[in-house]
Amino acid sequence: MTSIGNSDARVRIGLEIHCQLTALRSKLFCTCPADYRGKEPNTNVCPVCLGMPGTLPLLNRRAIEYAMMLALVLNCKIPSRITFYRKNYFYPDLPKNFQITQYNAYEQASVGVDGVVELDDLDGSSKTIRIRRLQLEEDPGRLAYDGSIDRSNYALVDYNRAGVALVEIVSEPDFNAPNEVRLFLNRLASILEHLGICNPALEGAVRCDANVSIGEQARVEIKNINSFKDVERAVTFEITRQRSLAARGIEIRGETRHWDDARRITVQARAKEEEEDYRYFPEPDIPSIVISSKDVEAIKASMPELPHARVERFVNVYSLSRDTAKILVGEKHLADLFEASIKYYDNARSVANWIVTDLKGYLERYDDGGGDGSSSSSNSVILAKVTPKHIAELAMLVDSGKINRATARQILQRVIATGMLPSAIVQSINVDMLSNKDELASIVDKVIEEERKAFMDALSNEKALNYLLGKVMRYSNGRADPKLVLSMLKERVIGTSKTGQ
Ligand code: ZN
Ligand code: MN
C-alpha cells in the first residue's frame, strides 16, 4: 500500500461519519418532513418521533435504497438480511431513551459491511481505506442554549430533528495523515452530491468523529466536528498534542475530546461509555429486511453517473486533462456549471480552465474556511449568481482577445455583484470611463477657454482647480476619469506659470 503526502505509519486515524439523507421527504420512521431547518422549535414532530407510548415506527423504504446506493459506491458487501437495534442511553435530546440504529456484534446486519475506497491524489499516488460498516440510524433532537442564560443553568430541547435519517460510515483506522482524511472526505462529499442523497453544504448535514492514536498509545476520540472542513484541522491538532505529550514522557489517556471550532483546539470531554453499556438488542418493532441479489441489482441500475465515470467521460469526450477533470468533478456544482457552460461556448478546455483556475481561485479567496476544496454555504451564494452564460462569455471574451485575464477576473467580481452579463459589463466600462487623454484634451481646453478667470486664480490657488474639474466632469456627462483630468489641469497650470503668460 503506497501512501499519500506526509504520512506516518505510527499515526492511525479512523473516522465515524454521519450524513443526513437530506434528499428524503420524510423522517426515517414517521411521516414528519425531513427538512427541519429554520422551523419553530418542536413543530416538526409527531407522536412517533416524540417516542409516545403505543406508537410504532414505520421504516422509510427510500432511506434503505439511498443507504444501499452509498454502500455500493463504497464497495461494501450488502448482507442478505438488514436488522435494526436499540441503543439504550439517556440524554435529553433522545425522546425514547434509545436510538434505533444498527449493530454488527452478533451478525453482519448493517446496510453495508467491509467496503474499500481507493484514494488517489493528483500526483498519482494512492492508498486504500477500508470501510468497516455503513449503517442507517435516526438523528436525535438538539439542545439549544439561550444566549441570555447561564449555560450551566439549563438548556432548551428541540425535537424537530429527532428521527431524521442518518447514514453512519465507520472506517478502519487506515489514515496515516490529516491530508488523507481531507482527500477522503472531499471524495465522499462529491459522491453524496452525485448520488443526490445528501447535500453536504447544509448546516449539520455531515458531521464527523475521528479517533487518533500514535504507536502503542491509547486511542483518543474527537467528537463534535461539525463540518468536513474542520476534520483535518482537528486531527492535525490532536496529533501535535499527543506528540508533544509523548515527547515529555506523559502517557496518553484514552478519552473523548471535543472539537472547539472557535478556539480550534480539542478539549477534554466525558469519559467514554463502553459498548456494553448501551445494552444493544434487536428492535422488536421493525422486522428484519431480507435483501435479494435482485434488489441489489435494481439499486445498481437506478444509480446516477458517479464521480469516477464522470471524470473518464470528461477526459474522453471533452479532451480535458485528467487533473482538470478531477478538480471539476470533485465539486459537483463546478462540474455541472462546466457542462452547462459549454452549451453556450463550444470550447471545453477553455471553459474548464476558466472554472478551475479563475472561478475556483475566486471562491477560495472568499471562503472563510481557507479553501480546502469542499463546498461551503457562502460559496453557494456566490455560485448562485454565476450562470453558465456568464462563464461562457468570460471565456469567449478572453479567447477573442477583447479582454485580458486580469480584466476578466475583475469582471467576474462585477458579475457576482450585479448579475450583469460580462459582455454588457465590458461595454459599460468602455462607455463609462473616458480616460483617453486626446479625447479629454478638447474638453479641458474648452473649459479653460470659458473659465479664464478661474484658471488664472488656479495659478495661485489650487482650490480653483476643483471648480474647473467639476466643469470638465459636467461637460463629459460624468464619464471623464477625474484623476486624469486633475493631472491634465495641473499640467496646464504649471505650463502657464512657467511661460509667465
Ligand atoms: Zn414524526
Ligand atoms: Mn451514530
Side-chain angles (χ1 to χ4, degrees):
M1 180 188 312
T2 47
S3 61
I4 296 169
N6 312 332
S7 100
D8 172 354
R10 283 171 49 78
V11 172
R12 284 155 58 89
I13 307 160
L15 299 179
E16 219 178 279
I17 305 153
H18 287 92
C19 313
Q20 285 178 343
L21 296 176
T22 56
L24 290 176
R25 279 201 295 273
S26 52
K27 291 182 178 180
L28 187 51
F29 300 117
C30 64
T31 54
C32 289
D35 181 14
Y36 62 87
R37 290 176 174 81
K39 291 186 176 167
E40 275 293 298
N42 299 305
T43 57
N44 191 51
V45 291
C46 72
V48 176
C49 54
L50 285 176
M52 299 289 188
T55 58
L56 287 172
L58 186 67
L59 179 61
N60 185 331
R61 182 197 175 102
R62 180 132 290 176
I64 295 268
E65 292 170 0
Y66 284 174
M68 277 172 70
M69 279 188 190
L70 186 55
L72 288 168
V73 177
L74 301 181
N75 300 301
C76 290
K77 296 186 193 96
I78 311 286
S80 54
R81 221 159 62 101
I82 293 173
T83 308
F84 284 90
Y85 281 80
R86 285 189 185 181
K87 178 180 182 179
N88 298 281
Y89 65 100
F90 170 79
Y91 203 68
D93 64 8
L94 196 68
K96 298 193 291 283
N97 287 342
F98 61 83
Q99 180 193 32
I100 302 180
T101 178
Q102 300 191 292
Y103 190 55
N104 284 318
Y106 312 121
E107 49 177 345
Q108 298 236 306
S110 293
V111 172
V113 294
D114 296 337
V116 280
V117 174
E118 292 293 337
L119 284 186
D120 48 346
D121 203 0
L122 288 178
D123 67 9
S125 54
S126 70
K127 158 148 206 158
T128 307
I129 304 295
R130 292 166 298 159
I131 304 296
R132 189 179 299 167
R133 67 169 186 271
L134 182 150
Q135 68 189 30
L136 202 51
E137 62 186 34
E138 54 181 343
D139 214 349
R142 280 196 301 179
L143 296 183
Y145 300 94
D146 186 322
S148 63
I149 298 163
D150 180 353
R151 281 180 71 127
S152 60
N153 275 348
Y154 64 85
L156 303 168
V157 66
D158 173 11
Y159 290 121
N160 282 352
R161 194 180 71 178
V164 163
L166 286 178
V167 165
E168 179 182 315
I169 301 162
V170 182
S171 87
E172 296 293 345
D174 288 343
F175 301 92
N176 302 116
N179 68 320
E180 295 173 1
V181 169
R182 185 196 61 213
L183 276 174
F184 177 86
L185 293 175
N186 285 350
R187 167 82 79 86
L188 178 62
S190 175
I191 290 170
L192 291 171
E193 280 190 285
H194 276 88
L195 286 176
I197 62 177
C198 167
N199 178 359
L202 285 177
E203 189 268 322
V206 290
R207 282 112 68 181
C208 193
D209 300 341
N211 53 73
V212 178
S213 64
I214 303 180
E216 299 305 306
Q217 299 271 22
R219 212 176 72 142
V220 173
E221 192 128 2
I222 315 169
K223 293 257 182 206
N224 210 25
I225 316 174
N226 280 322
S227 82
F228 276 4
K229 216 168 263 179
D230 272 353
V231 181
E232 186 180 19
R233 287 195 193 117
V235 165
T236 303
F237 175 88
E238 186 55 26
I239 292 170
T240 309
R241 189 187 71 88
Q242 292 187 22
R243 278 196 177 130
S244 80
L245 285 178
R248 285 178 282 153
I250 302 169
E251 192 189 337
I252 312 289
R253 273 186 309 173
E255 62 180 351
T256 300
R257 299 178 70 84
H258 273 248
W259 172 243
D260 181 332
D261 58 2
R263 291 188 288 164
R264 296 193 174 174
I265 57 171
T266 63
V267 290
Q268 196 188 346
R270 67 187 155 79
K272 175 124 184 75
E273 292 92 348
E274 295 300 323
E275 272 208 335
E276 46 271 28
D277 295 337
Y278 290 122
R279 297 290 189 274
Y280 280 94
F281 65 85
E283 166 60 58
D285 291 337
I286 303 174
S288 287
I289 301 140
V290 175
I291 306 286
S292 69
S293 55
K294 249 191 180 164
D295 295 329
V296 175
E297 289 313 312
I299 295 289
K300 274 185 186 162
S302 73
M303 278 204 264
E305 184 183 40
L306 289 161
H308 182 72
R310 202 174 190 191
V311 167
E312 293 307 309
R313 185 163 61 80
F314 281 9
V315 170
N316 296 326
V317 176
Y318 302 123
S319 307
L320 300 187
S321 76
R322 191 163 298 270
D323 286 357
T324 302
K326 274 186 187 169
I327 293 169
L328 284 174
V329 174
E331 293 173 68
K332 181 171 179 288
H333 45 273
L334 295 185
D336 292 346
L337 184 60
F338 162 72
E339 292 208 85
S341 301
I342 55 177
K343 293 197 177 110
Y344 294 97
Y345 179 41
D346 187 20
N347 186 334
R349 292 174 78 146
S350 172
V351 169
N353 204 1
W354 230 90
I355 293 173
V356 164
T357 54
D358 302 80
L359 178 63
K360 196 164 161 24
Y362 181 86
L363 294 174
E364 281 169 8
R365 276 197 305 284
Y366 280 79
D367 188 358
D368 49 13
D372 66 355
S374 56
S375 342
S376 81
S377 38
S378 60
N379 276 356
S380 46
V381 171
I382 292 173
L383 280 168
K385 295 186 181 159
V386 184
T387 67
K389 215 169 173 187
H390 289 135
I391 294 296
E393 276 200 1
L394 279 168
M396 221 183 304
L397 286 163
V398 173
D399 289 351
S400 67
K402 286 217 174 80
I403 55 173
N404 62 27
R405 264 191 123 78
T407 308
R409 279 197 288 272
Q410 283 168 10
I411 289 175
L412 174 65
Q413 293 190 5
R414 284 226 201 174
V415 165
I416 289 160
T418 64
M420 282 170 73
L421 279 175
S423 53
I425 293 172
V426 169
Q427 243 168 35
S428 77
I429 288 172
N430 290 340
V431 171
D432 263 339
M433 198 73 123
L434 198 50
S435 52
N436 182 313
K437 243 182 160 172
D438 295 335
E439 279 179 65
L440 282 174
S442 62
I443 304 177
V444 169
D445 289 343
K446 188 177 160 203
V447 167
I448 291 174
E449 186 76 36
E450 286 179 17
E451 301 288 341
R452 202 68 202 166
K453 188 176 175 305
F455 181 71
M456 293 315 284
D457 287 349
L459 294 176
S460 54
N461 178 9
E462 268 206 29
K463 276 183 187 158
L465 279 175
N466 285 329
Y467 171 76
L468 296 169
L469 169 64
K471 193 129 196 208
V472 174
M473 293 306 288
R474 267 200 302 285
Y475 276 147
S476 70
N477 294 320
R479 287 160 52 214
D481 178 348
K483 257 189 170 166
L484 184 58
V485 171
L486 203 56
S487 79
M488 288 170 74
L489 284 167
K490 277 181 185 165
E491 271 173 34
R492 299 283 206 286
V493 168
I494 291 164
T496 305
S497 58
K498 267 186 189 157
T499 56
Q501 202 182 342

